[in-house]
Amino acid sequence: MPDSGGSRAQRAHIPTSGNGPGTDADLRTGPGADGDPTVPHGDAGALAVDPAAPQVTAPAGLPEAPVLPKAPGAPGLSGPAAKAARRTGLLVTLVLGGLTALPPLSMDMYLPALPAVTDSLSAPAATIQLTLTACLAGMALGQLVVGPMSDRWGRRKPLLLGMVVYVLATAICALAPTAELLIGFRLLQGLAGAAGIVIARAVVRDLYDGVEMARFFSTLMLISGVAPIIAPLIGGQVLRVTDWRGIFVVLTGVGIALTLVVWKWLHETLPPADRHTGGVTDALRTMRGLLADRVFTGYMIAGGLAFAVLFAYISASPFVVQEIYGASPQTFSLLFGLNSIGLIAVGQINGKLLVGRFSLDKVLGFGLAVIVLAAVALLLMTTGVFGEAGLVPVAAGLFVLMSAMGLAMPNTNAQALMRTKHAAGSASALLGTSSFLIGAIASPLVGIAGEDTAVPMAVVQVVCAVAAVACFLLLCRPWQRAGREAGGL
């Protein structure tokens, strides 16, 4: 039965040294406690702690393991120690959120500059569009490389290497004299930036189990979900004071700052005893074993198909909202922002209210059902079943669909990674790559009938949403696990 609270490190019986306030007896939670350390919600992932906080010794083989203080308000932790716990938990949340937000920033800050790049490099628009494709392809493929690397060498080294390469590639993009060179280094930028996505998920898996993992993914969604909203705005403001190369200069600075933060505060979370020692063959064998796990594959594909629904919306919504329903660019920006806020808000409801009160499968199933219903409603509206649908009902359908993603995406990741204790890096790589690839396949289909109809967008969304539900039911078979848990198996 999936565990419903706390991080894996905290639930382990970690002995303490000495007879002071950090002894095992003081870490017990109350009468009848079994000696497990108190589980701090929100601070379990703290990887650097103020010396004033109660200390516990690390497990064998992990001398630099994070020190995990009690939650604010827990017995024996108050005043400066409680403040330290909150600071460290927030710090790690921001670091991992920054790692997952960097790739969207790299993609979307650049969007307002595309016409200027076309003029500056005297290249066709189609060629400059390849700079986006190259970056996206790099993010997808890079995860397959970095994930197994992190399972073999730990999380810190591959992440720091990826961040250094990202900074160098981004700096060269700012100096690129030709479109071909820009495409090449945008590919490298995507490959290196993938390290942040895949290793952030793996670190969460190292530190959390069950409900707490789903909650942390919801928190990451709050941070990383803001990036696509503000990135084009930041890019537009940068273009007011400099040219398109200045955007890459800003991204280089962000990369340097994040690299320094990771180097200073993000400690290793994968003990040497849990690392894989094989080479490429062993990595491929690990991935094959993961894909052979029917339940893991079910969550992976269901999450990828839900992501494809999101990609279809992102690809088609500018044309649907503006060209078909006559909205102004300002109205489109407002609706896009509202939909993103809906996704983030429901993600927080998922993490703060639903997860822990209901099983992850029930919350995930409800989210997928809402996505299907919203997609079907959009299909009926765009095909004219209800007559001439205006912008308001279509926008409402898109809002409901996007908001329900806040229930689907965190929980598919959490449920899949819960089955991969010893291969979190490889599993994270498969989750990320499958989402990007399925989304990349689905997004061009929304324009297959031209820019004058919204039907292809709705059809793609219905097909992907129904397929996600089918994978969830047929491969994950949540009722079987629920039955085993009810029977005490």
Side-chain angles (χ1 to χ4, degrees), residues 326-343:
S328 66
Q330 292 74 25
T331 301
F332 167 73
S333 298
L334 175 63
L335 293 176
F336 190 90
L338 287 175
N339 290 340
S340 300
I341 291 171
L343 186 153

PDB file of all heavy atoms in Angstrom, residues 326-343:
ATOM      1  N   GLY A 326     -12.182  35.802 -33.044  1.00  0.00           N
ATOM      2  CA  GLY A 326     -12.060  37.248 -33.159  1.00  0.00           C
ATOM      3  C   GLY A 326     -11.549  37.985 -31.946  1.00  0.00           C
ATOM      4  O   GLY A 326     -11.765  39.200 -31.827  1.00  0.00           O
ATOM      5  N   ALA A 327     -10.872  37.312 -31.048  1.00  0.00           N
ATOM      6  CA  ALA A 327     -10.344  37.997 -29.870  1.00  0.00           C
ATOM      7  C   ALA A 327      -9.100  38.795 -30.237  1.00  0.00           C
ATOM      8  O   ALA A 327      -8.351  38.437 -31.157  1.00  0.00           O
ATOM      9  CB  ALA A 327     -10.009  36.977 -28.775  1.00  0.00           C
ATOM     10  N   SER A 328      -8.875  39.852 -29.510  1.00  0.00           N
ATOM     11  CA  SER A 328      -7.670  40.655 -29.715  1.00  0.00           C
ATOM     12  C   SER A 328      -6.476  39.954 -29.084  1.00  0.00           C
ATOM     13  O   SER A 328      -6.635  39.057 -28.247  1.00  0.00           O
ATOM     14  CB  SER A 328      -7.845  42.029 -29.074  1.00  0.00           C
ATOM     15  OG  SER A 328      -7.934  41.898 -27.663  1.00  0.00           O
ATOM     16  N   PRO A 329      -5.261  40.345 -29.474  1.00  0.00           N
ATOM     17  CA  PRO A 329      -4.082  39.765 -28.813  1.00  0.00           C
ATOM     18  C   PRO A 329      -4.091  39.968 -27.306  1.00  0.00           C
ATOM     19  O   PRO A 329      -3.661  39.095 -26.554  1.00  0.00           O
ATOM     20  CB  PRO A 329      -2.913  40.514 -29.471  1.00  0.00           C
ATOM     21  CG  PRO A 329      -3.435  40.911 -30.810  1.00  0.00           C
ATOM     22  CD  PRO A 329      -4.888  41.218 -30.601  1.00  0.00           C
ATOM     23  N   GLN A 330      -4.608  41.111 -26.849  1.00  0.00           N
ATOM     24  CA  GLN A 330      -4.669  41.363 -25.415  1.00  0.00           C
ATOM     25  C   GLN A 330      -5.643  40.407 -24.725  1.00  0.00           C
ATOM     26  O   GLN A 330      -5.362  39.883 -23.638  1.00  0.00           O
ATOM     27  CB  GLN A 330      -5.083  42.817 -25.145  1.00  0.00           C
ATOM     28  CG  GLN A 330      -4.055  43.858 -25.543  1.00  0.00           C
ATOM     29  CD  GLN A 330      -3.971  44.052 -27.064  1.00  0.00           C
ATOM     30  OE1 GLN A 330      -4.940  43.778 -27.787  1.00  0.00           O
ATOM     31  NE2 GLN A 330      -2.828  44.522 -27.538  1.00  0.00           N
ATOM     32  N   THR A 331      -6.795  40.168 -25.387  1.00  0.00           N
ATOM     33  CA  THR A 331      -7.761  39.217 -24.831  1.00  0.00           C
ATOM     34  C   THR A 331      -7.185  37.811 -24.797  1.00  0.00           C
ATOM     35  O   THR A 331      -7.361  37.069 -23.822  1.00  0.00           O
ATOM     36  CB  THR A 331      -9.060  39.238 -25.652  1.00  0.00           C
ATOM     37  OG1 THR A 331      -9.613  40.544 -25.639  1.00  0.00           O
ATOM     38  CG2 THR A 331     -10.075  38.247 -25.089  1.00  0.00           C
ATOM     39  N   PHE A 332      -6.495  37.435 -25.871  1.00  0.00           N
ATOM     40  CA  PHE A 332      -5.859  36.116 -25.884  1.00  0.00           C
ATOM     41  C   PHE A 332      -4.854  35.979 -24.740  1.00  0.00           C
ATOM     42  O   PHE A 332      -4.821  34.957 -24.055  1.00  0.00           O
ATOM     43  CB  PHE A 332      -5.162  35.869 -27.219  1.00  0.00           C
ATOM     44  CG  PHE A 332      -4.236  34.685 -27.177  1.00  0.00           C
ATOM     45  CD1 PHE A 332      -4.733  33.388 -27.151  1.00  0.00           C
ATOM     46  CD2 PHE A 332      -2.860  34.857 -27.143  1.00  0.00           C
ATOM     47  CE1 PHE A 332      -3.883  32.289 -27.091  1.00  0.00           C
ATOM     48  CE2 PHE A 332      -1.993  33.780 -27.091  1.00  0.00           C
ATOM     49  CZ  PHE A 332      -2.512  32.487 -27.061  1.00  0.00           C
ATOM     50  N   SER A 333      -4.037  37.011 -24.544  1.00  0.00           N
ATOM     51  CA  SER A 333      -3.051  36.955 -23.467  1.00  0.00           C
ATOM     52  C   SER A 333      -3.736  36.814 -22.110  1.00  0.00           C
ATOM     53  O   SER A 333      -3.273  36.061 -21.242  1.00  0.00           O
ATOM     54  CB  SER A 333      -2.187  38.225 -23.478  1.00  0.00           C
ATOM     55  OG  SER A 333      -1.480  38.323 -24.698  1.00  0.00           O
ATOM     56  N   LEU A 334      -4.847  37.509 -21.926  1.00  0.00           N
ATOM     57  CA  LEU A 334      -5.594  37.427 -20.674  1.00  0.00           C
ATOM     58  C   LEU A 334      -6.134  36.018 -20.463  1.00  0.00           C
ATOM     59  O   LEU A 334      -6.003  35.437 -19.374  1.00  0.00           O
ATOM     60  CB  LEU A 334      -6.732  38.443 -20.677  1.00  0.00           C
ATOM     61  CG  LEU A 334      -7.679  38.396 -19.458  1.00  0.00           C
ATOM     62  CD1 LEU A 334      -6.927  38.713 -18.184  1.00  0.00           C
ATOM     63  CD2 LEU A 334      -8.835  39.379 -19.667  1.00  0.00           C
ATOM     64  N   LEU A 335      -6.744  35.446 -21.514  1.00  0.00           N
ATOM     65  CA  LEU A 335      -7.303  34.094 -21.398  1.00  0.00           C
ATOM     66  C   LEU A 335      -6.204  33.067 -21.173  1.00  0.00           C
ATOM     67  O   LEU A 335      -6.378  32.125 -20.373  1.00  0.00           O
ATOM     68  CB  LEU A 335      -8.104  33.749 -22.658  1.00  0.00           C
ATOM     69  CG  LEU A 335      -9.391  34.563 -22.884  1.00  0.00           C
ATOM     70  CD1 LEU A 335     -10.024  34.181 -24.211  1.00  0.00           C
ATOM     71  CD2 LEU A 335     -10.366  34.348 -21.741  1.00  0.00           C
ATOM     72  N   PHE A 336      -5.077  33.218 -21.872  1.00  0.00           N
ATOM     73  CA  PHE A 336      -3.965  32.291 -21.687  1.00  0.00           C
ATOM     74  C   PHE A 336      -3.464  32.347 -20.239  1.00  0.00           C
ATOM     75  O   PHE A 336      -3.197  31.310 -19.614  1.00  0.00           O
ATOM     76  CB  PHE A 336      -2.833  32.636 -22.658  1.00  0.00           C
ATOM     77  CG  PHE A 336      -1.741  31.605 -22.718  1.00  0.00           C
ATOM     78  CD1 PHE A 336      -1.813  30.563 -23.619  1.00  0.00           C
ATOM     79  CD2 PHE A 336      -0.648  31.682 -21.878  1.00  0.00           C
ATOM     80  CE1 PHE A 336      -0.808  29.601 -23.680  1.00  0.00           C
ATOM     81  CE2 PHE A 336       0.364  30.736 -21.924  1.00  0.00           C
ATOM     82  CZ  PHE A 336       0.283  29.696 -22.842  1.00  0.00           C
ATOM     83  N   GLY A 337      -3.361  33.558 -19.712  1.00  0.00           N
ATOM     84  CA  GLY A 337      -2.922  33.699 -18.329  1.00  0.00           C
ATOM     85  C   GLY A 337      -3.917  33.107 -17.344  1.00  0.00           C
ATOM     86  O   GLY A 337      -3.534  32.443 -16.377  1.00  0.00           O
ATOM     87  N   LEU A 338      -5.229  33.320 -17.585  1.00  0.00           N
ATOM     88  CA  LEU A 338      -6.245  32.756 -16.698  1.00  0.00           C
ATOM     89  C   LEU A 338      -6.202  31.231 -16.710  1.00  0.00           C
ATOM     90  O   LEU A 338      -6.335  30.581 -15.663  1.00  0.00           O
ATOM     91  CB  LEU A 338      -7.633  33.248 -17.110  1.00  0.00           C
ATOM     92  CG  LEU A 338      -7.963  34.711 -16.803  1.00  0.00           C
ATOM     93  CD1 LEU A 338      -9.321  35.091 -17.382  1.00  0.00           C
ATOM     94  CD2 LEU A 338      -7.950  34.944 -15.292  1.00  0.00           C
ATOM     95  N   ASN A 339      -6.022  30.649 -17.892  1.00  0.00           N
ATOM     96  CA  ASN A 339      -5.955  29.196 -17.978  1.00  0.00           C
ATOM     97  C   ASN A 339      -4.735  28.657 -17.232  1.00  0.00           C
ATOM     98  O   ASN A 339      -4.801  27.616 -16.566  1.00  0.00           O
ATOM     99  CB  ASN A 339      -5.907  28.749 -19.442  1.00  0.00           C
ATOM    100  CG  ASN A 339      -7.225  28.974 -20.154  1.00  0.00           C
ATOM    101  OD1 ASN A 339      -8.272  29.111 -19.524  1.00  0.00           O
ATOM    102  ND2 ASN A 339      -7.189  29.021 -21.476  1.00  0.00           N
ATOM    103  N   SER A 340      -3.622  29.357 -17.358  1.00  0.00           N
ATOM    104  CA  SER A 340      -2.417  28.929 -16.639  1.00  0.00           C
ATOM    105  C   SER A 340      -2.613  29.054 -15.130  1.00  0.00           C
ATOM    106  O   SER A 340      -2.175  28.189 -14.358  1.00  0.00           O
ATOM    107  CB  SER A 340      -1.215  29.763 -17.089  1.00  0.00           C
ATOM    108  OG  SER A 340      -0.984  29.603 -18.476  1.00  0.00           O
ATOM    109  N   ILE A 341      -3.281  30.122 -14.703  1.00  0.00           N
ATOM    110  CA  ILE A 341      -3.568  30.292 -13.284  1.00  0.00           C
ATOM    111  C   ILE A 341      -4.485  29.175 -12.795  1.00  0.00           C
ATOM    112  O   ILE A 341      -4.318  28.642 -11.682  1.00  0.00           O
ATOM    113  CB  ILE A 341      -4.187  31.675 -13.026  1.00  0.00           C
ATOM    114  CG1 ILE A 341      -3.140  32.771 -13.261  1.00  0.00           C
ATOM    115  CG2 ILE A 341      -4.755  31.765 -11.613  1.00  0.00           C
ATOM    116  CD1 ILE A 341      -3.699  34.169 -13.245  1.00  0.00           C
ATOM    117  N   GLY A 342      -5.474  28.791 -13.618  1.00  0.00           N
ATOM    118  CA  GLY A 342      -6.353  27.686 -13.252  1.00  0.00           C
ATOM    119  C   GLY A 342      -5.590  26.389 -13.056  1.00  0.00           C
ATOM    120  O   GLY A 342      -5.820  25.651 -12.083  1.00  0.00           O
ATOM    121  N   LEU A 343      -4.655  26.103 -13.959  1.00  0.00           N
ATOM    122  CA  LEU A 343      -3.834  24.892 -13.836  1.00  0.00           C
ATOM    123  C   LEU A 343      -3.020  24.917 -12.545  1.00  0.00           C
ATOM    124  O   LEU A 343      -2.961  23.932 -11.800  1.00  0.00           O
ATOM    125  CB  LEU A 343      -2.916  24.767 -15.057  1.00  0.00           C
ATOM    126  CG  LEU A 343      -2.081  23.502 -15.209  1.00  0.00           C
ATOM    127  CD1 LEU A 343      -1.781  23.235 -16.680  1.00  0.00           C
ATOM    128  CD2 LEU A 343      -0.753  23.592 -14.452  1.00  0.00           C
TER     129      LEU A 343
END
